[in-house]
Amino acid sequence: MSLTNNRAHELWSSFMPRRKEIVNALNSNFISMQVYSEPLTLGQFDQVFEKWAGVEVLGSSPIPEGMENFNLEEGLYAVFDYKGSSTATKFSVIFSEPGFQNRIMI
């Protein structure tokens, strides 16, 4: 998806009713992750990325039918902790913080 073709609501609407099928969750947190094949370009709203909705699980837990696992490799990442709904306001604050470009980890 992209910011101009944002289907996050559809993704989360399909994930949330099935979240209890996932066993061995490490906590009650949910992960909203965007994976870019190229470095993030600010202001380019049609830049394509892979969007994931998920939870962190212990080891190699069984994967419910129709779901996939994502093994996050060790490395440096941009992580933004927040609680609540995802709104454009929160993202505009993140992207407008001084030094944001220097904190993007690829």
Side-chain angles (χ1 to χ4, degrees):
M1 75 177 65
S2 68
L3 293 177
T4 55
N5 183 27
N6 190 336
R7 298 176 60 198
H9 179 74
E10 181 181 328
L11 173 66
W12 282 98
S13 293
S14 65
F15 175 77
M16 291 304 283
R18 299 191 59 204
R19 67 189 182 273
K20 301 266 188 217
E21 296 176 38
I22 301 169
V23 296
N24 297 330
L26 291 180
N27 52 48
S28 61
N29 297 332
F30 297 107
I31 298 171
S32 179
M33 181 172 58
Q34 294 175 192
V35 179
Y36 293 84
S37 59
E38 298 178 14
L40 174 65
T41 303
L42 296 179
Q44 187 168 347
F45 301 109
D46 60 347
Q47 185 173 0
V48 176
F49 54 85
E50 209 177 302
K51 180 81 170 178
W52 289 77
V55 297
E56 188 175 6
V57 297
L58 180 63
S60 57
S61 299
I63 302 167
E65 187 175 332
M67 293 188 186
E68 299 178 43
N69 71 325
F70 186 96
N71 292 317
L72 187 62
E73 300 292 327
E74 182 177 337
L76 298 173
Y77 298 93
V79 176
F80 304 98
D81 292 325
Y82 69 90
K83 292 184 186 226
S85 63
S86 173
T87 65
T89 304
K90 289 182 178 130
F91 289 107
S92 65
V93 169
I94 290 170
F95 292 129
S96 65
E97 287 183 21
F100 173 77
Q101 287 281 11
N102 298 327
R103 293 193 309 263
I104 298 176
M105 307 299 178
I106 305 296

